[in-house]
Amino acid sequence: MANLADEYGTDVEIYIKALTTTIHADTPTGAPAGLHDLLEQLGLERHAYPTDEPLYIWHTVPDHLDSDEQKRLANRVIPALLLAGYTVNCDPEVFDEALYQQAVHRLRPRKARPAPQQPAPASPPSHSAPARRTP
């Protein structure tokens, strides 16, 4: 089995497995458990081969989702992985700029509105410093 993350030196390689419609997310051999956990938290399913002693771990987008939702999920995980500090490569066949930008927008912290502030009390004018003027 080919592991594209090992081959390309990335933390996650997202692509459509040849001769299938399944979107895969390969992680390198020996990837930290935190990366696998994050991929699962983001909605991907973990697989291992062989199952008794995992030598090869990969994730897939759930196949019960329709193709549009699979693509949406695949693009939604990218900014979360990047934000967590992982290097990600996504095949152009899967990557969709608009879906990616939507995911980025959702991850941005909501800007809190500043609380109204009382103006600072005016200090007495200083006679030693000349007043500033704006041109």
Side-chain angles (χ1 to χ4, degrees), residues 3 25-31 36 46-49 54-59:
N3 182 331
D26 282 357
T27 55
T29 304
H36 296 296
R46 185 189 306 211
H47 306 275
Y49 180 83
L55 298 176
Y56 178 50
I57 299 173
W58 72 98
H59 296 78

Side-chain angles (χ1 to χ4, degrees), residues 28 40 55 67 72 74 77 79 81 84 87-88 90 96 103 129 131 133-134:
E40 285 184 74
L55 298 176
S67 61
R72 195 171 299 117
V77 304
L81 290 166
T87 57
V88 180
C90 187
D96 182 295
R133 290 187 179 198
T134 355

Side-chain angles (χ1 to χ4, degrees), residues 8-37:
Y8 296 121
T10 56
D11 293 316
V12 181
E13 282 288 326
I14 300 172
Y15 64 99
I16 296 176
K17 185 78 169 181
L19 305 175
T20 73
T21 58
T22 305
I23 299 175
H24 276 242
D26 282 357
T27 55
T29 304
L35 174 55
H36 296 296
D37 293 342

Side-chain angles (χ1 to χ4, degrees), residues 91-110:
D91 189 281
E93 191 175 2
V94 176
F95 185 75
D96 182 295
E97 181 70 30
L99 294 173
Y100 171 79
Q101 290 300 329
Q102 287 173 358
V104 167
H105 181 71
R106 287 186 182 135
L107 280 178
R108 285 191 181 133
R110 305 266 188 249

